[in-house]
Amino acid sequence: FTNLLPEEIELVKDSKIQVQFRKGESLTKQGAFASSVLFVVDGLARQYIVGDTNRDFNLRIIRSGEFIGLSAAFSKHTYDYSAVAIKDTIACLIEKDAIAGLIKCNCNFAYGLINRYYENYSSLYDTIRSMMYKQMHGRLADVLLYLETVKYNDESIFSLLSRKEIADFAGLSTESTVKLLKGFEHD
């Protein structure tokens, strides 16, 4: 938002509402109608998709300063994924038409969003590569390394996630994850 002109900042202020989500509350729901884009002001959320078997697969941790549901601004009418707060989170819900207008009119703002999109997609490609070509040990190790990089006010993310949620990042059952973690600890 630092690339916005004063009148564009006013447009955002007029088309947003700030909401506090408690730990465990849904910020978005996969397949739900998307009327707004969320901007995380403070907190952490877990982005995930629900598969055909109603199993969750965690994609990433959403941190302060990141958007949720940005595809809604690009004529997508539903959310592609769900997001749930893993810590009390404050987010601004911004009308998707306002974001789309800013993207069309302000090339610096649009360029910043494209960079963020690229970073997210690059990360997702790495996740897909890990899921396809690594065995369970490697997938879980990748997840642990990724989660180690996520900090919130110098607090480890591991205290905020359950074993099931960690397993959902690696696409493993909870039982297999616990067994692998015990093996890692022993090794």
Side-chain angles (χ1 to χ4, degrees):
F1 293 110
T2 58
N3 293 324
L4 297 180
L5 301 171
E7 59 271 10
E8 293 170 332
I9 291 172
E10 285 303 314
L11 173 70
V12 171
K13 284 182 181 178
D14 293 341
S15 62
K16 76 163 179 65
I17 186 166
Q18 188 167 307
V19 178
Q20 180 167 355
F21 297 91
R22 296 191 192 278
K23 179 181 178 177
E25 285 186 328
S26 292
L27 282 74
T28 62
K29 176 81 171 143
Q30 181 178 332
F33 183 70
S35 60
S36 60
V37 174
L38 286 79
F39 180 77
V40 178
V41 176
D42 186 41
L44 292 172
R46 176 176 54 90
Q47 177 183 348
Y48 66 97
I49 55 174
V50 178
D52 295 337
T53 60
N54 283 334
R55 275 194 65 199
D56 296 349
F57 180 75
N58 291 329
L59 299 171
R60 68 186 184 103
I61 300 293
I62 300 168
R63 305 174 200 179
S64 301
E66 294 187 32
F67 286 96
I68 301 174
L70 198 53
S71 60
F74 297 101
S75 76
K76 182 78 174 167
H77 298 293
T78 59
Y79 292 113
D80 294 325
Y81 53 82
S82 297
V84 64
I86 58 175
K87 188 166 191 62
D88 288 353
T89 300
I90 298 172
C92 288
L93 282 70
I94 306 167
E95 293 175 9
K96 69 179 186 177
D97 294 336
I99 295 291
L102 292 174
I103 291 168
K104 290 176 186 173
C105 296
N106 187 321
C107 62
N108 290 329
F109 181 74
Y111 182 77
L113 287 182
I114 291 169
N115 275 336
R116 285 176 185 250
Y117 240 58
Y118 167 75
E119 290 170 6
N120 289 340
Y121 278 113
S122 179
S123 172
L124 290 176
Y125 291 141
D126 288 341
T127 300
I128 292 169
R129 191 173 13 269
S130 176
M131 293 293 295
M132 290 179 63
Y133 299 114
K134 292 187 178 178
Q135 294 181 3
M136 292 189 317
H137 289 81
R139 292 190 340 225
L140 184 58
D142 278 353
V143 166
L144 295 175
L145 290 171
Y146 164 69
L147 292 174
E148 180 59 30
T149 66
V150 179
K151 302 279 187 219
Y152 182 77
N153 295 338
D154 293 328
E155 180 182 359
S156 172
I157 190 78
F158 293 104
S159 63
L160 302 173
L161 296 174
S162 68
R163 291 181 289 186
K164 182 188 180 326
E165 290 169 334
I166 293 171
D168 288 344
F169 271 103
L172 302 172
S173 69
T174 306
E175 295 79 16
S176 294
T177 300
V178 170
K179 188 183 291 186
L180 289 170
L181 287 172
K182 293 265 188 221
F184 286 167
E185 183 179 50
H186 183 264
D187 290 347

